[in-house]
Amino acid sequence: LLLNRLGHAYLLKKEDTEAVQTFEKIAAGEKKTAKAGAMFNLALLYKAGGNKEKSADMFEQLQTEFPTSMYNELTKEKIGG
């Protein structure tokens, strides 16, 4: 929870590199509720940074690993599915 808040603080400060690093730590962890949100934020950050392929991969991974998450519909919109 604390890392998630830190990641969002970095987003608000427009410190994308630090936000990516923080969300990557969360996504690599075991807590599924935090992991789904981190993966969604990473996909958005990758896209904003111009890495569309990595963004699409993350959206697809999120949809595969968490098909019933609250991010599912948003993810479908982002990947056009």
Side-chain angles (χ1 to χ4, degrees):
L1 184 62
L2 188 59
L3 273 180
N4 191 39
R5 289 184 181 180
L6 181 60
H8 284 283
Y10 284 134
L11 281 176
L12 290 173
K13 293 174 66 178
K14 302 203 184 308
E15 295 178 8
D16 291 352
T17 301
E18 290 82 359
V20 166
Q21 291 171 351
T22 303
F23 289 125
E24 284 176 342
K25 286 179 188 176
I26 298 167
E30 297 296 319
K31 294 190 179 190
K32 292 193 181 257
T33 53
K35 187 173 181 174
M39 291 171 71
F40 185 77
N41 286 317
L42 280 170
L44 294 176
L45 283 162
Y46 294 149
K47 186 174 183 178
N51 196 337
K52 292 180 184 179
E53 184 176 329
K54 199 168 183 179
S55 174
D57 289 346
M58 185 61 66
F59 279 128
E60 288 176 18
Q61 182 182 351
L62 174 59
Q63 196 168 38
T64 300
E65 288 187 35
F66 302 98
T68 60
S69 82
M70 63 186 210
Y71 301 102
N72 195 32
E73 287 302 314
L74 293 170
T75 299
K76 284 181 182 178
E77 291 174 19
K78 298 294 183 183
I79 61 174

